[in-house]
Amino acid sequence: MEILVIDGQGGGLGKAIVAALRSHFPSAVINAVGTNSIATQRMLASGADHAATGENPVKVLSRTADLIVGPIGICIADSMYGEVTPEMAEAVGQSAAKRILIPVNICGNIVVGVPDTSLSVMIDGVIKAAEAAVKA
């Protein structure tokens, strides 16, 4: 299984996602793409197998991923304070991978009907969704 984790800003969410996925899916290939070098470094340090930064890695790795995991902004052009380019959002949206999106209500994107939840609860939700996707 090939998992692509995408994050930006300070990379804290991506770091937590990679660490949780690594502990639950030790044989998976986890690729991490940061929208900036700080996010990339944090995800690599938390257990990603490979890491890269920027638009082109998102476009390339979205083609082969089985799962794509990240904040909901990875599907929205110009989100995350402009770190997600339209091309990145398009690549994620057009990927054949299953997407596990975390409803982070910042940067002008608000998901209604989703309770305000702690990061640890959201990461638990990522793991449950990933386990269900693997079984499907």
Side-chain angles (χ1 to χ4, degrees), residues 60-77:
V60 171
L61 293 170
S62 291
R63 294 181 203 140
T64 59
D66 298 304
L67 292 174
I68 298 176
V69 184
I72 195 165
I74 65 174
C75 293
I76 302 170

Side-chain angles (χ1 to χ4, degrees), residues 2 13 18 42 70 83 96-97 101 124:
E2 187 174 319
L13 180 60
V18 169
R42 291 190 78 191
E83 289 187 10
L101 304 172
D124 289 343

Side-chain angles (χ1 to χ4, degrees), residues 2-8 31-36 39-40 43 50-71 73-77 79-80 83-97 99 101:
E2 187 174 319
I3 303 172
L4 173 58
V5 179
I6 304 171
D7 195 20
N31 295 314
V33 177
T35 60
N36 62 65
T40 303
M43 290 188 286
H50 310 102
T53 304
E55 180 180 287
N56 203 55
V58 170
K59 292 166 63 175
V60 171
L61 293 170
S62 291
R63 294 181 203 140
T64 59
D66 298 304
L67 292 174
I68 298 176
V69 184
I74 65 174
C75 293
I76 302 170
S79 67
M80 297 167 62
E83 289 187 10
V84 176
T85 67
E87 292 80 6
M88 292 166 115
E90 181 178 30
V92 170
Q94 290 182 342
S95 174
R99 286 167 290 281
L101 304 172

